[in-house]
Amino acid sequence: MGLIEVASSIKSMEIRGAGLIARSAAEALKQQALDYKGDDLGELRRRLDDGRRQLIASRPTAISLWNAVQATMRGSSSAESADELRSLVATNADSFVERSSKAVGMIGRIGSKRLRSGMTVLTHCNSKAALGVIKTAHADGKDIKVYATESRPWRQGLLTVKDLAAAGVPTTLIIDSAVRWIMKEIDVVLVGADTICSNGALINKIGTSQVALAADEARVPFIVCAKTYKFSPKTVHGEMVEIEERDASEIIDPRLLPPKVMVKNPVFDATPAEYIDSIVTEIGLISPYAAYEVIVKELGQESIFEANEE
Ligand code: RUB
């Protein structure tokens, strides 16, 4: 798949989930570099820069996309030939994809220690990181039950129940509005992340903040499963995370609506740090209030400088 196709598949959500879009973007940039066979350094830079912008514009909310693109392009300004630039981008992309894939496994192992046999987990939407935790606990022989929300309008919950059922985890699908009712049966909530802000706030699938409110009311721990490249250097500069709004037709066929009725379709929301017990990352289980340190230590001071240059 060429870069333009990858960017449009991310936009149309054929490629979705913050981790997967990040890995796909890194691979698309690598492909863009390898597809240019010429030796004009300026031309290769222009192609990569165009590609970089198209990928970043494909979905605005998940910082994983921006972090992946930055990591893939890091050091590229000092390349002195097209060959050097090509191999730098390819090496960066490979190491990003490898680190990202390993991180999912680490998160699974660390997070699963928080699950004991007999626990019932609630998850929202479809997060590979959160499902990795559940599947690791199950594979370790723990008796875990799961409630999975449908996650309207895209119904990513159907992917979640399919994945968990294939792994043999007893799973029950619920509609999003059943969350507060079901919370009395839940021992822990596990969700993924599209972005974690420097103040520890979580940006994730619409409805996540309502799940967090219901968990808080019932004193059920709310745990986020997120690779460190879900943390946002941009928010260190006070930048607000753009919440993507998608077409109304994803919710309802507009022809079914009475005249003058409008539809709003925000697809992510913000959960403040105070509702989050902990964040499971590949470097360990941390407090949401440690988000700034994660950005500085894991993504590096240079990511904060780069974010300011945008
Ligand atoms: C998916 C979503 C997931 C996060 C984390 O939204 O909100 O919870 O992306 O996923 P969408 P992962 O379907 O709109 O992309 O843990 O797989 O990175």
Side-chain angles (χ1 to χ4, degrees):
M1 214 191 267
L3 187 143
I4 293 177
E5 251 180 303
V6 172
S8 93
S9 302
I10 292 175
K11 204 181 187 79
S12 65
M13 288 178 60
E14 281 151 70
I15 298 175
R16 51 147 299 282
L20 186 60
I21 61 180
R23 288 190 291 278
S24 307
E27 274 163 351
L29 276 172
K30 172 184 166 181
Q31 201 51 51
Q32 181 89 330
L34 297 180
D35 284 350
Y36 177 69
K37 307 285 182 214
D39 56 9
D40 182 342
L41 177 61
E43 175 59 18
L44 179 55
R45 277 196 201 291
R46 266 189 300 283
R47 288 178 184 215
L48 286 169
D49 202 45
D50 267 8
R52 179 188 167 278
R53 269 189 266 111
Q54 281 182 54
L55 288 165
I56 288 175
S58 60
R59 282 198 90 182
T61 302
I63 195 68
S64 53
L65 186 54
W66 186 86
N67 278 330
V69 166
Q70 292 305 113
T72 304
M73 296 305 295
R74 194 149 294 143
S76 61
S77 58
S78 45
E80 288 176 356
S81 69
D83 257 350
E84 197 186 323
L85 181 52
R86 242 187 313 265
S87 78
L88 177 91
V89 168
T91 310
N92 281 349
D94 287 346
S95 93
F96 179 84
V97 171
E98 197 195 330
R99 268 188 291 132
S100 165
S101 309
K102 275 194 187 148
V104 180
M106 290 295 292
I107 290 170
R109 282 191 287 285
I110 296 170
S112 65
K113 292 183 191 155
R114 306 303 294 237
L115 301 184
R116 290 186 310 278
S117 228
M119 276 186 158
T120 302
V121 177
L122 173 75
T123 190
H124 183 51
C125 193
N126 178 250
S127 154
K128 288 193 181 47
L131 296 186
V133 169
I134 296 165
K135 289 193 283 184
T136 306
H138 176 78
D140 287 346
K142 294 179 189 172
D143 166 27
I144 306 292
K145 289 190 189 58
V146 176
Y147 279 100
T149 57
E150 180 189 18
S151 309
R152 277 269 293 153
W154 268 77
R155 308 180 89 199
Q156 290 92 333
L158 299 184
L159 299 173
T160 294
V161 297
K162 205 170 152 192
D163 191 357
L164 291 174
V169 180
T171 305
T172 306
L173 182 71
I174 56 168
I175 54 170
D176 301 321
S177 43
V179 163
R180 188 168 177 238
W181 173 252
I182 224 75
M183 198 54 82
K184 57 187 176 300
E185 294 181 34
I186 305 298
D187 298 298
V188 61
V189 173
L190 290 178
V191 295
D194 279 80
T195 293
I196 294 171
C197 306
S198 58
N199 66 2
L202 163 71
I203 313 295
N204 193 50
K205 180 54 54 197
I206 191 79
T208 301
S209 65
Q210 288 180 176
V211 176
L213 270 178
D216 184 64
E217 178 191 47
R219 299 188 183 279
V220 170
F222 181 94
I223 298 180
V224 180
C225 307
K227 285 147 272 191
T228 50
Y229 62 79
K230 305 288 188 73
F231 290 71
S232 170
K234 291 187 181 189
T235 57
V236 173
H237 299 285
E239 214 171 283
M240 304 288 279
V241 177
E242 181 183 342
I243 299 294
E244 178 183 6
E245 290 209 18
R246 296 182 66 89
D247 205 78
S249 61
E250 291 183 350
I251 293 183
I252 189 168
D253 179 344
R255 288 168 305 184
L256 300 176
L257 287 169
K260 295 192 179 152
V261 172
M262 290 168 291
V263 176
K264 207 166 166 57
N265 184 16
V267 299
F268 298 102
D269 68 16
T271 302
E274 68 213 69
Y275 293 96
I276 300 169
D277 286 272
S278 44
I279 305 177
V280 187
T281 73
E282 71 276 22
I283 55 160
L285 187 102
I286 63 158
S287 153
Y289 297 108
Y292 176 75
E293 277 83 1
V294 171
I295 296 169
V296 173
K297 288 197 183 128
E298 292 304 308
L299 301 171
Q301 200 73 52
E302 69 192 308
S303 74
I304 300 176
F305 291 135
E306 288 164 0
N308 204 27
E309 281 164 9
E310 285 283 295

